[in-house]
């Protein structure tokens, strides 16, 4: 029995050593997006020894001050610098060590945005030549050679110009990075094994969290959202990562974005222990895979054999 246990331990150690070579690259639009979408998954994989990197495309300078405690003189005037500082703290909390800030100007949120960039500043990220951004991302992908690439769903997940463009350039870079003839001066081609969409929210999750709020005797921020939910919406989830142990880290990372996050908001009413009990998962949509895998998956790295 001891020999069997030792052998098993050796196999586990060998497997873990191989897994430590895996690299997931998350591409986000603004500072704070990395903490609100998949942060618990990043924390989980970073703690397990995986390489987790983040690309932030804009400076977040057009963000509003959403936390009353931070609505002080001098904050709005230094928004880009402050959001950079907040992002650095959040990445440290999560355990991310590789970060690239592309530094484009935040386009700002536009109500009922219809894709017309003329409504935005000429310097806004949405109005930057797409090939410029794709080329920079391709060069980064080819140099850093991630196994998995993550971005937002088509349409950005919600109609913010920068989220829409983040999807567009990341999907284009995923394809282009593998093709030698495209951006030939951007380095040796690299075919990322898998492309995922993050920020997936499902009716199932909303219903569970809504019920947990009601059962805990607290007002639910999810009720109105559920009322607006399209009854014909198809759940796109393919991959559920169990992250219960890492929910407190994700919360701390999000709270590090003090200008954007009000800690007294009703969105923070549900305690982590309740969240862990009722819905301890981050959910993703597998958009493309160059390796054999089967859904549903329990890991972003399913099917990747090193």
């Amino acid at each position: 029995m001891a020999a069997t246990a030792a052998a098993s331990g050796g196999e586990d150690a060998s497997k873990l050593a191989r897994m430590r070579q895996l690299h997931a690259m998350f591409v986000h639009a603004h500072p704070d997006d990395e903490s609100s979408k998949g942060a618990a998954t990043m924390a989980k994989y970073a703690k397990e020894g995986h390489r987790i990197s983040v690309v932030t495309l804009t400076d977040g300078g057009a963000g509003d001050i959403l936390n009353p405690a931070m609505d002080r003189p001098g904050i709005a005037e230094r928004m880009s610098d402050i959001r950079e500082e907040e992002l650095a703290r959040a990445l440290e909390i999560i355990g991310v060590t590789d970060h690239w800030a592309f530094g484009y100007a935040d386009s700002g949120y536009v109500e009922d945005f219809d894709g017309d960039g003329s409504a935005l500043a000429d310097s806004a990220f949405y109005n930057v030549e797409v090939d410029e951004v794709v080329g920079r991302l391709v060069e980064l992908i080819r140099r850093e050679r991630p196994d998995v690439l993550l971005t937002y769903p088509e349409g950005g997940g919600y109609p913010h110009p920068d989220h829409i463009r983040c999807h567009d350039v990341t999907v284009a870079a995923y394809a282009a990075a593998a093709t030698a003839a495209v951006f030939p001066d951007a380095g040796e081609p690299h075919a990322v094994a898998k492309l995922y969409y993050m920020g997936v929210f499902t009716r199932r999750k909303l219903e569970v969290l809504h019920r947990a709020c009601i059962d805990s005797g607290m007002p639910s921020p999810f009720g109105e959202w559920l009322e607006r939910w399209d009854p014909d919406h198809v759940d796109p989830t393919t991959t559920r990562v169990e992250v219960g142990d890492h929910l407190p880290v994700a919360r701390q990372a999000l709270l590090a974005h003090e200008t954007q996050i009000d800690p007294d908001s009703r969105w923070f009413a549900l305690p982590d222990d309740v969240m862990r009990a009722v819905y301890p998962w981050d959910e993703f949509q597998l958009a493309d895979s160059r390796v054999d895998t089967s859904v549903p998956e329990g890991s972003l790295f399913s099917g990747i054999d090193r």
Side-chain angles (χ1 to χ4, degrees), residues 45-299:
Y45 286 148
K47 188 171 183 179
E48 290 176 356
H50 300 299
R51 184 183 180 198
I52 304 301
S53 64
V54 170
V55 180
T56 308
L57 296 176
T58 80
D59 61 8
D64 295 323
I65 300 174
L66 302 177
N67 178 4
M70 291 296 290
D71 193 4
R72 308 193 300 262
I75 298 295
E77 294 78 5
R78 297 184 56 244
M79 183 62 78
S80 295
D81 291 339
I82 290 172
R83 296 197 72 183
E84 180 181 354
E85 295 165 2
E86 292 172 343
L87 174 58
R89 289 195 295 272
L91 294 173
E92 183 178 7
I93 290 167
I94 295 168
V96 174
T97 56
D98 297 292
H99 176 246
W100 298 275
F102 279 22
Y104 291 108
D106 186 343
S107 301
Y109 181 72
V110 178
E111 288 285 349
D112 301 319
F113 182 67
D114 61 1
D116 183 2
S118 66
L120 308 171
D122 291 342
S123 60
F125 172 57
Y126 189 84
N127 285 330
V128 173
E129 181 64 38
V130 170
D131 278 355
E132 175 193 323
V133 188
V134 174
R136 290 182 65 183
L137 191 52
V138 165
E139 183 177 10
L140 181 63
I141 290 169
R142 289 178 177 174
R143 185 178 76 235
E144 302 300 330
R145 311 185 84 75
D147 298 284
V148 174
L149 190 66
L150 298 98
T151 189
Y152 310 138
E154 186 175 2
Y158 85 111
H160 189 299
D162 293 336
H163 283 245
I164 294 169
R165 189 60 85 223
C166 181
H167 166 88
D168 296 343
V169 299
T170 308
V171 171
Y174 170 80
T179 307
V182 183
F183 300 105
D185 299 326
E188 190 71 20
H190 174 64
V192 180
K194 302 170 84 174
L195 173 69
Y196 283 96
Y197 297 155
M198 56 187 162
V200 173
F201 238 96
T202 65
R203 183 176 183 88
R204 176 182 62 244
K205 182 173 184 176
L206 291 180
E207 288 175 338
V208 170
L209 297 183
H210 176 67
R211 175 49 55 190
C213 288
I214 300 303
D215 290 347
S216 299
M218 62 182 65
S220 170
F222 306 104
E224 293 179 6
W225 196 350
L226 281 168
E227 290 176 3
R228 298 193 304 268
W229 198 269
D230 181 356
D232 297 323
H233 177 77
V234 177
D235 183 353
T237 303
T238 61
T239 310
R240 303 174 85 196
V241 180
E242 202 286 318
V243 293
D245 290 343
H246 307 279
L247 293 173
V249 173
R251 183 182 294 242
Q252 291 167 22
L254 191 54
L255 289 171
H257 293 278
E258 294 179 287
T259 58
Q260 305 302 298
I261 305 300
D262 180 359
D264 296 323
S265 164
R266 60 180 182 160
W267 296 100
F268 286 93
L270 205 59
D272 287 328
D273 59 343
V274 176
M275 286 281 292
R276 178 177 180 176
V278 301
Y279 217 90
W281 300 285
D282 276 344
E283 296 177 311
F284 303 88
Q285 179 183 355
L286 179 62
D288 190 67
S289 180
R290 294 183 171 115
V291 297
D292 290 334
T293 187
S294 59
V295 297
E297 300 175 315
S299 170

